[in-house]
PDB file of all heavy atoms in Angstrom:
ATOM      1  N   MET A   9      91.736 102.215  14.838  1.00 63.00           N
ATOM      2  CA  MET A   9      92.206 101.716  13.538  1.00 63.00           C
ATOM      3  C   MET A   9      92.545 100.239  13.636  1.00 63.00           C
ATOM      4  O   MET A   9      93.243  99.809  14.543  1.00 63.00           O
ATOM      5  CB  MET A   9      93.444 102.484  13.091  1.00 63.00           C
ATOM      6  CG  MET A   9      93.173 103.913  12.686  1.00 63.00           C
ATOM      7  SD  MET A   9      92.227 104.008  11.146  1.00 63.00           S
ATOM      8  CE  MET A   9      93.445 103.400   9.989  1.00 63.00           C
ATOM      9  N   PHE A  12      95.600  95.604   9.675  1.00 89.00           N
ATOM     10  CA  PHE A  12      95.225  94.588   8.696  1.00 89.00           C
ATOM     11  C   PHE A  12      96.355  93.595   8.480  1.00 89.00           C
ATOM     12  O   PHE A  12      97.544  93.952   8.450  1.00 89.00           O
ATOM     13  CB  PHE A  12      94.853  95.244   7.358  1.00 89.00           C
ATOM     14  CG  PHE A  12      93.553  95.997   7.397  1.00 89.00           C
ATOM     15  CD1 PHE A  12      93.530  97.361   7.661  1.00 89.00           C
ATOM     16  CD2 PHE A  12      92.349  95.339   7.195  1.00 89.00           C
ATOM     17  CE1 PHE A  12      92.330  98.058   7.707  1.00 89.00           C
ATOM     18  CE2 PHE A  12      91.148  96.027   7.234  1.00 89.00           C
ATOM     19  CZ  PHE A  12      91.140  97.393   7.494  1.00 89.00           C
ATOM     20  N   ILE A  27      87.095 105.747   3.587  1.00 85.00           N
ATOM     21  CA  ILE A  27      87.517 106.868   4.441  1.00 85.00           C
ATOM     22  C   ILE A  27      87.766 108.119   3.601  1.00 85.00           C
ATOM     23  O   ILE A  27      87.377 109.234   3.976  1.00 85.00           O
ATOM     24  CB  ILE A  27      88.783 106.478   5.229  1.00 85.00           C
ATOM     25  CG1 ILE A  27      88.441 105.396   6.260  1.00 85.00           C
ATOM     26  CG2 ILE A  27      89.392 107.696   5.921  1.00 85.00           C
ATOM     27  CD1 ILE A  27      89.645 104.805   6.956  1.00 85.00           C
ATOM     28  N   PHE A  87      85.411  88.648  34.264  1.00 97.00           N
ATOM     29  CA  PHE A  87      85.431  88.311  35.685  1.00 97.00           C
ATOM     30  C   PHE A  87      85.252  89.557  36.540  1.00 97.00           C
ATOM     31  O   PHE A  87      85.529  90.671  36.121  1.00 97.00           O
ATOM     32  CB  PHE A  87      86.761  87.635  36.052  1.00 97.00           C
ATOM     33  CG  PHE A  87      87.015  86.352  35.316  1.00 97.00           C
ATOM     34  CD1 PHE A  87      87.781  86.339  34.159  1.00 97.00           C
ATOM     35  CD2 PHE A  87      86.487  85.146  35.768  1.00 97.00           C
ATOM     36  CE1 PHE A  87      88.020  85.167  33.468  1.00 97.00           C
ATOM     37  CE2 PHE A  87      86.724  83.963  35.089  1.00 97.00           C
ATOM     38  CZ  PHE A  87      87.491  83.971  33.934  1.00 97.00           C
ATOM     39  N   ALA A 139     106.248  81.154  29.346  1.00 95.00           N
ATOM     40  CA  ALA A 139     106.503  80.985  30.779  1.00 95.00           C
ATOM     41  C   ALA A 139     107.779  80.199  31.055  1.00 95.00           C
ATOM     42  O   ALA A 139     108.188  79.336  30.289  1.00 95.00           O
ATOM     43  CB  ALA A 139     105.316  80.282  31.428  1.00 95.00           C
ATOM     44  N   MET A 199      87.400  71.752  35.843  1.00 98.00           N
ATOM     45  CA  MET A 199      88.386  72.588  35.161  1.00 98.00           C
ATOM     46  C   MET A 199      87.976  72.780  33.717  1.00 98.00           C
ATOM     47  O   MET A 199      87.690  71.807  33.007  1.00 98.00           O
ATOM     48  CB  MET A 199      89.773  71.950  35.214  1.00 98.00           C
ATOM     49  CG  MET A 199      90.855  72.791  34.534  1.00 98.00           C
ATOM     50  SD  MET A 199      92.505  72.065  34.691  1.00 98.00           S
ATOM     51  CE  MET A 199      93.480  73.328  33.837  1.00 98.00           C
ATOM     52  N   VAL A 203      91.473  77.895  24.688  1.00 98.00           N
ATOM     53  CA  VAL A 203      92.570  78.374  23.853  1.00 98.00           C
ATOM     54  C   VAL A 203      92.048  79.618  23.143  1.00 98.00           C
ATOM     55  O   VAL A 203      91.201  79.529  22.257  1.00 98.00           O
ATOM     56  CB  VAL A 203      93.023  77.307  22.842  1.00 98.00           C
ATOM     57  CG1 VAL A 203      94.197  77.828  22.006  1.00 98.00           C
ATOM     58  CG2 VAL A 203      93.417  76.019  23.557  1.00 98.00           C
ATOM     59  N   ALA A 292      80.194  83.276  28.417  1.00 97.00           N
ATOM     60  CA  ALA A 292      78.954  82.486  28.431  1.00 97.00           C
ATOM     61  C   ALA A 292      79.248  81.010  28.214  1.00 97.00           C
ATOM     62  O   ALA A 292      78.670  80.141  28.887  1.00 97.00           O
ATOM     63  CB  ALA A 292      78.004  83.006  27.353  1.00 97.00           C
ATOM     64  N   ASP A 315      89.813  59.771  31.005  1.00 94.00           N
ATOM     65  CA  ASP A 315      89.184  59.108  29.856  1.00 94.00           C
ATOM     66  C   ASP A 315      89.260  59.982  28.617  1.00 94.00           C
ATOM     67  O   ASP A 315      89.501  59.492  27.505  1.00 94.00           O
ATOM     68  CB  ASP A 315      87.726  58.770  30.171  1.00 94.00           C
ATOM     69  CG  ASP A 315      87.595  57.658  31.205  1.00 94.00           C
ATOM     70  OD1 ASP A 315      88.607  56.977  31.470  1.00 94.00           O
ATOM     71  OD2 ASP A 315      86.488  57.495  31.752  1.00 94.00           O
TER      72      ASP A 315
END
Side-chain angles (χ1 to χ4, degrees):
M9 289 291 292
F12 289 94
I27 292 172
F87 299 96
M199 181 177 182
V203 181
D315 290 346

